[in-house]
Amino acid sequence: MDRMRLMETFVRVAETGNFSAVAREARTTQSAVSKQVQALEKLVGTPLLLRSSRSHALTEAGQLYYERCRQVLDTLEEAHIEVHRAEHEISGLLRVAAPVAFGRLHIVPRLPAFYARFPKLKVNLQLDDGFTDLVTAGIDVAFRVGELKDSGLIARRISTAHRATLAAPSYIELHGEPQHPNDLTRHNCLIYTGLATLDEWNYLDAEGRPYSVRVDGNFQSNSSEAIRQAVCEGLGISNSPLWTFGDDLRAGRVKAILTRYRPPPLPLNVVFQPSRRPSLKVKSFVNYFSEAFSNDPDIAQMLTAEPDAADTATDPPPASRLRG
């Protein structure tokens, strides 16, 4: 049996820890995957996996062999692509993960121009507001919004996501418009559970002084799309990235409030698996979108727009200063 095929199967088993997952990917049987790993163990002359009824762990030799196999496979992929270095010849499948709203609004609309430059590349886009495990899902590159946890992933910052406090005109008509972050304690605030600071909303005034306030409300969700719809329905107030509400702001379905106090911006990063050097197709994808975000006027407005000069804050009285 082809040793390279055996190595590829072993690498995916090592990364997923699951024969059945690899079998589904390869559209074969779990038994066939197990036999391929056994054949590789026979070739190298030592066990590579510690098997149990529920999971599979690498032996010490298996860990070493996995790292070498990963390097070999990555090198071979790059060697293959470098033969066709010209942009229109870069080919293959690229697995990308991104938050739902960001992917829908700012990745998919830019794919036609991307494909015009790289016609032989294929993109498998997985949208999820959670943190997809790059290794087990076989993801090549992922977009992450917010401060990164110490995950050991390789990261590259490509832009900044500015946020705003938003509400529908119908909500403001019924409940009034808050004028200071302190006022949020008397309003129904919609909580996005994808960030670490669930019920604590932070702000900076025009001079960069920090404020924070504890908020509460009757609706929480891990979906930015659900939060967006709830705001549009007049359910409450949200503290969200501008890109989520771009069309709604332009159409007047929502309004930016508390514009004298801006939530701190969130970094937009792309992350890669630490065990894999970014391939040429990954580099091409990342460079394209990094360039698109920095040059496109619409994305520049949504991601990097600063407060209007008219929104300059005045110093709040000491009694109203929130802890910051």
Side-chain angles (χ1 to χ4, degrees):
M1 188 176 291
D2 179 20
R3 178 177 294 195
M4 193 60 59
R5 182 182 175 189
L6 298 181
M7 291 169 61
E8 290 173 343
T9 299
F10 166 67
V11 164
R12 289 303 294 144
V13 170
E15 290 176 343
T16 63
N18 192 307
F19 281 151
S20 59
V22 178
R24 286 193 297 271
E25 289 179 2
R27 296 183 179 180
T28 186
T29 64
Q30 183 174 338
S31 174
V33 172
S34 179
K35 288 179 180 178
Q36 290 180 43
V37 174
Q38 290 172 5
L40 186 61
E41 289 177 322
K42 185 175 181 180
L43 282 174
V44 299
T46 186
L48 301 174
L49 292 174
L50 295 172
R51 295 166 174 80
S52 70
S53 59
R54 293 189 177 182
S55 63
H56 310 285
L58 292 171
T59 64
E60 185 175 349
Q63 180 64 41
L64 177 62
Y65 196 70
Y66 161 75
E67 294 171 359
R68 295 294 185 267
C69 287
R70 183 74 272 172
Q71 292 172 3
V72 168
L73 294 174
D74 286 346
T75 300
L76 286 175
E77 181 184 18
E78 290 193 10
H80 175 75
I81 296 175
E82 285 175 356
V83 173
H84 308 281
R85 182 175 286 274
E87 285 186 345
H88 66 281
E89 289 295 335
I90 294 178
S91 62
L93 176 64
L94 195 60
R95 296 178 176 85
V96 181
V100 176
F102 182 79
R104 178 176 65 85
L105 296 171
H106 293 301
I107 295 182
V108 174
R110 288 169 175 78
L111 287 178
F114 174 78
Y115 287 132
R117 185 182 296 185
F118 304 101
K120 294 190 176 182
L121 270 178
K122 298 179 180 180
V123 175
N124 180 333
L125 179 61
Q126 299 185 25
L127 299 182
D128 190 338
D129 282 340
F131 283 87
T132 304
D133 188 299
L134 272 62
V135 175
T136 57
I139 298 297
D140 296 300
V141 59
F143 290 87
R144 295 279 171 86
V145 182
E147 297 297 335
L148 294 173
K149 299 178 181 179
D150 185 15
S151 61
L153 296 172
I154 299 172
R156 172 182 165 187
R157 183 165 179 166
I158 63 171
S159 190
T160 301
H162 284 259
R163 296 184 290 170
T165 306
L166 304 136
S170 59
Y171 177 88
I172 295 173
E173 184 178 351
L174 285 175
H175 304 284
E177 181 175 344
Q179 301 299 314
H180 187 276
N182 253 346
D183 298 339
L184 292 173
T185 60
R186 299 186 293 274
H187 284 268
N188 195 47
C189 295
L190 312 179
I191 309 298
Y192 174 62
T193 59
L195 296 177
T197 54
L198 298 181
D199 59 352
E200 182 179 42
W201 288 4
N202 298 304
Y203 291 88
L204 298 172
D205 66 14
E207 296 181 1
R209 292 172 299 192
Y211 297 81
S212 65
V213 59
R214 293 285 181 182
V215 298
D216 194 15
N218 61 11
F219 182 72
Q220 299 184 2
S221 178
N222 66 346
S223 167
S224 57
E225 295 277 25
I227 295 293
R228 172 194 160 273
Q229 189 62 38
V231 173
C232 291
E233 296 294 336
L235 187 59
I237 296 174
S238 170
N239 197 6
S240 297
L242 284 169
W243 74 59
T244 309
F245 289 86
D247 291 341
D248 302 307
L249 283 165
R250 284 185 283 268
R253 289 186 292 270
V254 299
K255 174 186 176 182
I257 60 177
L258 290 176
T259 54
R260 294 182 177 182
Y261 305 90
R262 286 293 178 93
L266 298 172
L268 174 63
N269 295 283
V270 289
V271 295
F272 318 93
Q273 297 183 31
S275 60
R276 303 179 65 174
R277 291 186 301 164
S279 64
L280 287 178
K281 62 183 180 181
V282 170
K283 292 177 182 177
S284 299
F285 182 87
V286 171
N287 289 339
Y288 171 82
F289 276 92
S290 180
E291 177 184 344
F293 293 164
S294 58
N295 294 336
D296 188 295
D298 183 64
I299 198 77
Q301 292 174 8
M302 288 295 101
L303 297 185
T304 62
E306 294 295 340
D308 294 334
D311 290 333
T312 302
T314 56
D315 289 337
S320 65
R321 174 69 60 88
L322 300 172
R323 60 186 183 83

